Amino acid sequence: MYRRGLLAVLALAGIATFGAGTASAQDKTIKIGGLFPMSGPGAYFGAQDKQGIELALEELNKTGVNGYKFAIQYEDSACSPLPASQAAKRLLDQYKPDVIIGEECSDATLAIMPIVAEAKVPLINAGSSSIRITDPGNPYTFRIMPNEVMQGVDIATQAYNKLNARTAVLLNETTNAGIGNAKVFKETFEKLGGKVVAEIGFGRDVNDFTAIATRVAGAGKVDVIPTYTLEGQGLKITQALSQAGVVKGGGGGAIQLGTIWLPFGFEQKAGKAAEGYVRIVQFDPTDQRDMVKNFVKNFKAKFNADPTHINAHAYDQILLIADAVKRGAKDAQSIRDTLAATKDFKGVTGSVEFDKSNQNIKMDTIHYMETKPDLSWNALKWN
Amino acid sequence: MTATIVAQQAINGIVLGSLYVLVALGLTLIYGVLVQINFAHADFVTLGAFAAYFFIHLLGGNYLTSIAVALVVGAILGWAINLTIFAPLRHKGSELLPLIATIGVSTMMQNAMLAWFGPIPYAFETPYSQQVFRVAGMFFTAQSLIIIAVSAATIALLYAFMKFTFLGKALRAVAQDRETAGLMGINPSYLIMLTIVLSSALAGMAGAMLAPVLVLTPFAGTTVIVKAFAIVIIGGFGNVEGTILAGLLVGLIESFTTQYFDPGLIDIFVFALLLLMLAFRPTGLISERREENV
Amino acid sequence: MSEAAAAAAEYRSSHRRWAFLAAALIIAVLPYVLTGSYWHTNLTVCAINVLLALGLDFILGYAGQLNLGQSAFYGLGAYVSTLLITKFGFPFWGAFVAGVAFAGLSGVFLALFAVRLRGHYLAIASLGFAVIVHQILLNWISLTQGPLGIYAIPPPPAIALPGLPVISFRNPVALFYLIAGFALLVYFLLDQLVRSPIGETLTAIREDEISASSLGINATAWKVFAFGVGAAVGGAAGCFYAPFVGTLVPDAFFITESFTILSMVIVGGMGTLIGPVFGAILLTLLPELLRDIGDLRLVVYGVALTLVVLFMPGGLVQAWKLIRAKITGAPAASP
């Protein structure tokens, strides 16, 4: 007898707290979905994205924006089309986010784009460079990072004009991003009058670059070596090129050119071999703007490491969402519309203005760095 | 100029090939004695590499000692896995089950390493890869000298062991005819354990040697293992001399394909060679075994 | 056959008819029990994996050939059919047939090449074949787009039967029915094949090839046949994969896929037809269900596989038989 009464009271109490709980959770949260690789070879992207996001959320949720707080749910998209599609569907079905950020790998991003578009949820991307992500014009996909055409045309032009390069050897991984970037460089460089003396593509499973470096060494006078690959292989290439005496760090004359993917800290791992490397970075930690200085300081304090461009991109994606909310957005459709109208958002990686295909066209997201003999960066103010 | 390039690529090929031989030797040993393919071999290599890395970075050891450490770690792991997984399965008689078990072990190991070490590539540096020697227009690093020296020494030791010691001869006896060897007083179980321990030790050591060359992530071994399988077949399953020859050959194919064609074609050439061998000479480059039904 | 044996066979075959009906019903109802596009995707992946597992099971479990190249047939089916559609304007079903045929013929080709080889040599030869196919898909960029991928692959064209509403395969439930229905059909056909004298011949070869040859059986021809069938089924799975995911990249057909399919067959129970079906379903859903465990979920997958092999090598089928024996053999339970 007793028991039943007690149970009833407990039940009522439970319902009450549950009701109260849901009530407070209901009011004013923007739900963000995070599709990042957490397993497989792309997993370190996901780990770094999380860090940038955490920092941003921590800062924003201290006061909220326009009365809204921000929450995030992650799903593992594994840098590959099928797992990414499944992760996207799971996210949409179960979490129902107002906006999604991700993926890193172009293949995965291309796979999830139609899915989120059909669900009418905006997607902000900062990691995939393939031109196919924005070129066809998808109203629900936004990219804050410069695409491969913007980067490729710019670096080829700068190489020709500022570095007086006339011959080049292209080294790229055989993925969407690698091949695409190499192609743009080649077209621009050759149109200006330069000559590409060799193009060497390699898979993500190649480990030893001594043979490749030997081939480059035997290719005659080479001025620049545009290199499009991830950090792990990039490290090996730079060292091999140095051992073969091809690049400046090894006593040669060629300058390696790089874009994206190579974070701050690469030099320390590569050592002397990295001297003279010129690259586009999407995040310039030596940027003197207050916003950047604070970001670096807070990131270091929280994670005891220097922020990479992946951290910075993730941070900016959250800040961009907050900016949209500040301008009045509150759900998927209004976020989409407000994002599309972005004209002058300032993030730590640069400014954002979206063109008609939702590609960010501000060139101040392209920063050039040269590695000095002491392995620190010299910011070349080419943009 | 061309002669220099050819010579340089030959050196590159031999260095790389020596590494492949180290990895493949373990596989060929296991196959020779157990008639079994070990898919987890790659992950022993990776684990050896990580063991060496942490020995250097956490315990402050030096590189050469770390190779020995990796060897020991590999040996212990091999012994443990044999005890818990391979030995129980051997008694069930199926040819296939141990193979699947090795796939399971491989998946477990890769993902455990992913969970512990994380996915971010580790930069395994040794002072030896920074030292470059230049001779007659060619270059090689101190690291490659070490690789060749250690590989050659290991191979020589292994060879001597197999040919001249009692244990070595016993292993070959078990490889050729398990039943008869058993009848002659050799304990097959003990020898099988020895084989697996030896093979895993070789794998661990190969990992430590490969670590400066590989991109070190939990998936590092997978990039090498498929070629290792090819080498074992091209050389002849269970045949040490054949494996050495095949390993060096594959290394040379790799460097010369890169020079004159494209790195993407390496796997195609190696596996085309594999299929050709299977078609015309399945027992391998140097046949020692005669099998009635290959 | 004696009367009793005939009666028993009759009972079993009517039993089977009911089982098929039940299976069809379950397939029909599933998308309404497990709702939402996330589950619909999972179910469809299960169906595709069931096809792959059945194909491999036929080669491995019934003909006794250790085929590690199933990923190649999967990929060939996917790429051949998709390229015929996107580059040459083939209609979907025409391309489907072509893809299946191409995969089947590749299986025959591999078998003719490797059929003299036994055991581990065949395994490595088939692995080598899988590597070469993957590399060709990856490197022949002008034909396959390689790692750039083929995007926006359309689903099968809608079917308009007179008097019924149009069936559009953009609807994920409809697509699931198509693939699962096809898998059921394949199961039925393989089942018939296995129970026919052909099945007995294959079993004879699997158990003891030398004796079988001495009885006049052309073991080579039958092994080639088995490879062709298993490869064709794998190719069919590929032909469905492409329009389902909508995106085609070579890395989806890397050799690790072969190992996954092999695991499904083993965990389910090699040498039976129903085993791999459950093996495929279990190993497809397990990583999804374990997602919440996070980083360690894939470790559990490896552990589960190893444990099955160690303690229940006959797979789920064996486990089921044990349970059933326990239930029927146990004395009446007390209240």
Side-chain angles (χ1 to χ4, degrees):
Chain A
M1 284 306 120
Y2 231 138
R3 241 190 279 165
R4 256 193 252 161
L6 186 59
L7 272 173
V9 171
L10 283 174
L12 277 171
I15 295 174
T17 23
F18 180 69
T22 17
S24 63
Q26 291 277 6
D27 56 347
K28 322 257 272 179
T29 312
I30 300 282
K31 294 198 287 190
I32 306 173
L35 286 172
F36 296 111
M38 320 267 197
S39 65
Y44 75 95
F45 290 135
Q48 294 189 10
D49 283 303
K50 269 191 177 172
Q51 288 176 321
I53 292 171
E54 263 175 53
L55 184 62
L57 289 180
E58 200 181 87
E59 289 173 6
L60 289 170
N61 281 336
K62 274 196 220 142
T63 53
V65 175
N66 260 358
Y68 283 94
K69 298 259 172 132
F70 301 91
I72 188 158
Q73 168 113 328
Y74 299 100
E75 287 292 341
D76 178 8
S77 46
C79 193
S80 167
L82 185 55
S85 309
Q86 281 180 282
K89 289 188 190 170
R90 184 174 155 115
L91 195 61
L92 288 165
D93 272 351
Q94 299 179 357
Y95 185 61
K96 303 197 198 334
D98 301 304
V99 58
I100 298 181
I101 53 183
E103 223 254 8
E104 290 288 346
C105 309
S106 293
D107 294 340
T109 308
L110 286 163
I112 63 181
M113 276 164 48
I115 299 175
V116 302
E118 191 171 336
K120 298 207 194 308
V121 174
L123 171 72
I124 306 180
N125 175 275
S128 306
S129 65
S130 170
I131 191 67
R132 287 195 258 186
I133 288 172
T134 47
D135 218 33
N138 178 338
Y140 284 93
T141 302
F142 296 85
R143 169 160 54 187
I144 65 175
M145 167 178 124
N147 63 38
E148 66 199 9
V149 172
M150 289 163 69
Q151 295 186 52
V153 169
D154 201 61
I155 197 171
T157 316
Q158 308 284 15
Y160 193 87
N161 293 328
K162 299 248 178 34
L163 295 175
N164 290 322
R166 295 295 178 265
T167 56
V169 167
L170 289 169
L171 297 176
N172 64 276
E173 61 170 31
T174 48
T175 60
N176 249 311
I179 296 178
N181 276 287
K183 184 158 153 279
V184 175
F185 186 94
K186 178 172 175 184
E187 282 168 0
T188 314
F189 195 64
E190 287 183 338
K191 219 183 335 174
L192 289 166
K195 187 166 179 305
V196 171
V197 295
E199 290 173 67
I200 308 176
F202 48 87
R204 285 225 176 122
D205 57 352
V206 170
N207 283 302
D208 180 55
F209 292 91
T210 325
I212 291 181
T214 306
R215 182 168 160 188
V216 177
K221 182 173 183 299
V222 177
D223 295 321
V224 287
I225 306 178
T227 310
Y228 300 103
T229 181
L230 291 170
E231 179 186 342
Q233 288 177 307
L235 201 55
K236 296 297 169 194
I237 291 180
T238 302
Q239 289 175 330
L241 287 171
S242 165
Q243 287 162 7
V246 173
V247 289
K248 269 190 183 172
I255 296 178
Q256 259 190 301
L257 299 178
T259 83
I260 56 181
W261 305 328
L262 287 183
F264 194 64
F266 170 80
E267 282 73 11
Q268 283 66 30
K269 293 182 185 171
K272 193 169 166 301
E275 184 190 324
Y277 209 130
V278 170
R279 68 160 92 70
I280 293 179
V281 297
Q282 261 107 49
F283 171 61
D284 174 5
T286 68
D287 190 333
Q288 291 304 305
R289 293 182 289 147
D290 281 334
M291 173 178 207
V292 178
K293 290 208 260 201
N294 287 333
F295 170 66
V296 174
K297 192 177 81 191
N298 295 334
F299 191 90
K300 265 198 165 113
K302 189 170 162 77
F303 295 108
N304 198 20
D306 291 307
T308 66
H309 71 279
I310 299 178
N311 302 126
H313 271 150
Y315 184 81
D316 272 353
Q317 283 166 303
I318 301 288
L319 253 52
L320 180 60
I321 296 174
D323 184 73
V325 172
K326 196 161 84 167
R327 287 183 273 146
K330 50 189 161 66
D331 58 18
Q333 189 58 41
S334 52
I335 292 181
R336 192 225 80 88
D337 296 332
T338 320
L339 282 175
T342 309
K343 283 274 180 277
D344 198 18
F345 165 78
K346 295 254 184 279
V348 299
T349 57
S351 327
V352 175
E353 173 181 334
F354 292 117
D355 69 3
K356 272 206 285 282
S357 59
N358 297 330
Q359 166 68 50
N360 177 17
I361 49 174
K362 289 285 203 189
M363 291 302 275
D364 70 351
T365 51
I366 299 180
H367 318 264
Y368 286 96
M369 294 294 153
E370 179 192 29
T371 309
K372 298 200 286 216
D374 68 354
L375 302 186
S376 66
W377 277 356
N378 173 25
L380 305 164
K381 306 280 183 207
W382 289 347
N383 270 331
Chain B
M1 186 56 163
T2 337
T4 326
I5 298 181
V6 171
Q8 179 68 53
Q9 292 290 23
I11 296 181
N12 295 338
I14 291 179
V15 172
L16 198 57
S18 316
L19 285 171
Y20 288 149
V21 169
L22 274 181
V23 178
L25 270 179
L27 274 178
T28 213
L29 267 179
I30 286 197
Y31 188 83
V33 174
L34 277 101
V35 193
Q36 174 184 309
I37 297 180
N38 177 15
F39 278 109
H41 195 75
D43 307 293
F44 286 62
V45 172
T46 313
L47 194 65
F50 274 109
Y53 179 86
F54 286 116
F55 176 75
I56 295 180
H57 287 256
L58 284 183
L59 297 176
N62 74 43
Y63 176 63
L64 293 172
T65 324
S66 77
I67 299 179
V69 168
L71 189 147
V72 169
V73 167
I76 296 178
L77 187 68
W79 174 81
I81 290 191
N82 179 48
L83 195 66
T84 53
I85 296 173
F86 294 153
L89 277 177
R90 256 197 304 281
H91 302 304
K92 308 234 172 146
S94 158
E95 202 178 57
L96 200 51
L97 291 180
L99 195 131
I100 306 291
T102 64
I103 294 179
V105 168
S106 171
T107 314
M108 267 197 289
M109 282 181 68
Q110 272 189 15
N111 289 296
M113 284 194 281
L114 183 63
W116 290 327
F117 304 141
I120 301 186
Y122 287 76
F124 193 117
E125 288 316 319
T126 76
Y128 305 104
S129 42
Q130 311 280 34
Q131 279 175 279
V132 185
F133 302 105
R134 298 189 199 283
V135 170
M138 301 186 294
F139 69 94
F140 42 93
T141 59
Q143 180 72 20
S144 28
L145 284 176
I146 294 182
I147 290 177
I148 296 197
V150 173
S151 305
T154 310
I155 292 170
L157 278 171
L158 194 66
Y159 197 75
F161 172 74
M162 296 291 275
K163 265 225 149 71
F164 301 123
T165 69
F166 174 71
L167 270 180
K169 291 190 206 173
L171 271 176
R172 284 160 62 215
V174 173
Q176 297 211 326
D177 189 334
R178 196 183 292 190
E179 266 181 61
T180 317
L183 289 173
M184 297 179 81
I186 298 173
N187 179 350
S189 286
Y190 174 73
L191 280 178
I192 288 172
M193 183 215 48
L194 185 64
T195 307
I196 292 186
V197 167
L198 190 57
S199 160
S200 314
L202 277 173
M205 184 176 79
M209 306 281 299
L210 271 168
V213 174
L214 284 176
V215 177
L216 188 54
T217 68
F219 309 102
T222 336
T223 62
V224 172
I225 195 63
V226 184
K227 269 187 210 130
F229 276 132
I231 290 171
V232 168
I233 296 221
I234 295 174
F237 262 128
N239 185 306
V240 172
E241 294 110 326
T243 305
I244 295 170
L245 211 61
L248 292 175
L249 182 61
V250 169
L252 287 168
I253 291 180
E254 190 160 322
S255 57
F256 282 104
T257 306
T258 304
Q259 179 66 42
Y260 294 111
F261 297 93
D262 193 88
L265 292 173
I266 293 173
D267 276 355
I268 294 186
F269 284 167
V270 170
F271 281 89
L273 176 62
L274 169 69
L275 291 180
L276 276 171
M277 291 292 296
L278 283 173
F280 299 114
R281 207 184 155 82
T283 43
L285 285 174
I286 302 177
S287 337
E288 190 188 84
R289 302 160 58 101
R290 311 241 171 284
E291 281 187 79
E292 57 179 59
N293 243 349
V294 159
Chain C
M1 281 196 282
S2 72
E3 242 183 59
E10 172 71 37
Y11 171 75
R12 278 199 299 274
S13 81
S14 76
H15 206 100
R16 261 199 304 287
R17 261 176 262 142
W18 282 114
F20 276 116
L21 212 58
L25 251 138
I26 294 178
I27 290 177
V29 163
L30 266 177
Y32 295 100
V33 170
L34 297 167
T35 55
S37 68
Y38 169 69
W39 276 110
H40 293 163
T41 306
N42 280 334
L43 289 175
T44 314
V45 175
C46 281
I48 293 180
N49 285 337
V50 163
L51 269 176
L52 287 166
L54 282 174
L56 179 61
D57 181 48
F58 190 68
I59 299 176
L60 173 60
Y62 286 96
Q65 304 299 301
L66 180 44
N67 168 27
L68 289 177
Q70 195 71 348
S71 60
F73 306 126
Y74 186 28
L76 285 172
Y79 268 92
V80 168
S81 60
T82 303
L83 288 173
L84 285 174
I85 297 174
T86 56
K87 280 204 172 185
F88 301 105
F90 267 54
F92 177 82
W93 291 107
F96 180 86
V97 169
V100 169
F102 193 92
L105 283 172
S106 315
V108 167
F109 166 72
L110 175 64
L112 281 171
F113 175 84
V115 82
R116 299 176 299 128
L117 307 172
R118 295 226 61 222
H120 298 106
Y121 286 91
L122 178 66
I124 302 285
S126 57
L127 190 63
F129 178 74
V131 172
I132 291 186
V133 167
H134 175 255
Q135 287 291 323
I136 292 178
L137 291 177
L138 198 61
N139 285 295
W140 197 349
I141 296 184
S142 56
L143 180 65
T144 66
Q145 293 281 88
L148 297 174
I150 303 178
Y151 296 94
I153 301 172
I159 297 181
L161 296 168
L164 293 170
V166 172
I167 306 173
S168 163
F169 291 113
R170 289 193 189 279
N171 178 342
V173 174
L175 191 58
F176 167 69
Y177 283 153
L178 178 66
I179 302 177
F182 185 83
L184 188 62
L185 178 66
V186 166
Y187 183 95
F188 176 74
L189 290 173
L190 285 178
D191 190 50
Q192 296 296 96
L193 199 59
V194 155
R195 288 175 200 288
S196 74
I198 296 180
E200 290 171 20
T201 312
L202 287 173
T203 311
I205 296 174
R206 179 186 78 206
E207 298 300 323
D208 189 340
E209 187 168 333
I210 299 177
S211 307
S213 306
S214 70
L215 286 173
I217 295 178
N218 184 347
T220 304
W222 286 112
K223 286 197 276 189
V224 170
F225 168 75
F227 252 98
V229 169
V233 173
C239 294
F240 282 125
Y241 171 90
F244 164 60
V245 177
T247 303
L248 210 54
V249 286
D251 280 345
F253 308 109
F254 191 53
I255 52 169
T256 42
E257 194 61 32
S258 279
F259 298 150
T260 308
I261 304 169
L262 182 65
S263 308
M264 292 177 186
V265 172
I266 301 293
V267 168
M270 158 179 78
T272 67
L273 271 186
I274 192 67
V277 172
F278 286 111
I281 295 176
L282 180 68
L283 288 185
T284 306
L285 294 182
L286 200 59
E288 288 296 320
L289 293 171
L290 293 177
R291 254 177 197 264
D292 294 327
I293 302 188
D295 279 346
L296 289 179
R297 90 180 135 107
L298 294 170
V299 178
V300 173
Y301 181 64
V303 167
L305 182 60
T306 312
L307 288 179
V308 164
V309 171
L310 271 177
F311 299 115
M312 195 72 65
L316 293 172
V317 170
Q318 180 185 10
W320 169 247
K321 285 195 180 140
L322 279 173
I323 295 176
R324 206 169 61 177
K326 275 242 156 100
I327 296 177
T328 54
S334 46

